[in-house]
Amino acid sequence: IMTIARQVSVYGIIAVGMTFVIMTGGIDISVGSTVALGGVVASMADLAGCPPIISIFIAILFGLAAGAINGFLIAYCKMLPFVATLGMLNVIRAASLIITKGSALYGMSDSFLKLSAGYLWGVIPYPVVIMLAVFLLGGILIKHFSLGRFFLAVGGNEESARLAGVNTRRVKLSAYVIAGGLTALSGVLLASRLGTAQPSTGSGYEQVVIASVVIGGTSFAGGEGGILQSFVGLMAVQMLSTCMSALSVDGFWQKLIEGLMIVAIIAADCYSRKRKRENV
């Protein structure tokens, strides 16, 4: 169970940020590249002699900056979220390749590697502890802070939220900034677990994360969802993947099944929203 939880933790941390983004009616497909950037930056800082906490902080700053660019393009330049984050996917990936000159990084310190190898009370892996803490803080943000409610308000009806006095552009920007920072953090944990930082790491992560959030019940149209639902969706996706692997289902068929699940859930969400509009 702890092995599965450790594997899930990387996706789980990203899923919290993705939940905020999708709640606002947006999407971020650049998270895979940001995972690589976070791992690369933290590993380079560690190799330069920085303590692990400083390495993590620097990586998160880079993630926040990437998220801020995404948010600025979408909220202030009025670019479509898919288009903006698609462009940033390539920009961020290129940044990782340029920084490392296309080579993997090895030889990080033992203290850096213990970020993922250590256990709390000798039982719970540190990445799992961090993931649970992120989910808890995300849930508190949604339930008890105005920013969390603004995410839902902007996704539900942006114009109504604006007329009610909500700074919708700032809310959107905040969602992408948080998502960028959390994604970079997950990249640090992944690099620590693997013992190497690859500039090509994270490819396809956005599919798993988006599937988890959507399966958990967060609507692609925005305005609906929650952190607990995303956690349930994440575990459902992981359990499905684990079961298919245990049954020796070919990897190509696994991708097909996961894709069909996403399409079916989005179709059901669209149908549900259509029925609600018709009944109003």
Side-chain angles (χ1 to χ4, degrees), residues 13 71 140 226 240 266:
I13 294 170
I140 292 173
L240 175 65
I266 294 174

Side-chain angles (χ1 to χ4, degrees), residues 63-231:
L64 293 173
I69 296 172
N70 278 331
F72 179 80
L73 293 174
I74 294 163
Y76 291 88
C77 298
K78 303 299 182 181
M79 291 182 66
L80 292 174
F82 181 84
V83 175
T85 56
L86 176 63
M88 284 300 295
L89 179 152
N90 293 304
V91 170
I92 297 170
R93 181 73 69 187
S96 299
L97 290 167
I98 292 170
I99 291 173
T100 61
K101 297 181 180 179
S103 302
L105 301 177
Y106 299 94
M108 281 74 83
S109 66
D110 291 339
S111 56
F112 182 84
L113 299 178
K114 285 181 180 178
L115 292 172
S116 286
Y119 290 82
L120 179 65
W121 303 318
V123 178
I124 308 175
Y126 286 145
V128 178
V129 175
I130 295 172
M131 177 189 70
L132 294 176
V134 169
F135 268 101
L136 177 61
L137 293 174
I140 292 173
L141 177 63
I142 294 296
K143 293 292 184 182
H144 300 288
F145 286 83
S146 58
L147 180 60
R149 293 190 291 272
F150 290 164
F151 289 152
L152 293 169
V154 170
N157 192 316
E158 183 175 351
E159 183 62 18
S160 295
R162 187 186 66 80
L163 294 174
V166 177
N167 190 328
T168 57
R169 293 188 298 182
R170 188 177 299 172
V171 169
K172 286 184 177 182
L173 177 64
S174 300
Y176 285 94
V177 169
I178 294 172
L182 291 177
T183 303
L185 173 61
S186 70
V188 176
L189 296 178
L190 182 62
S192 172
R193 190 179 80 193
L194 298 177
T196 178
Q198 303 270 1
S200 59
T201 300
S203 179
Y205 276 39
E206 62 280 349
Q207 300 173 29
V208 177
V209 174
I210 292 171
S212 301
V213 174
V214 173
I215 289 172
T218 300
S219 174
F220 249 130
E224 295 180 11
I227 298 300
L228 179 60
Q229 292 94 313
S230 294
F231 181 77

Side-chain angles (χ1 to χ4, degrees), residues 226-241:
I227 298 300
L228 179 60
Q229 292 94 313
S230 294
F231 181 77
V232 173
L234 176 68
M235 296 308 296
V237 170
Q238 185 61 38
M239 290 303 295
L240 175 65
S241 177

Side-chain angles (χ1 to χ4, degrees), residues 41-67:
V41 170
S43 298
M44 292 188 71
D46 180 76
L47 292 172
C50 294
I53 189 65
I54 300 299
S55 300
I56 295 173
F57 180 73
I58 294 173
I60 291 176
L61 283 180
F62 272 78
L64 293 173

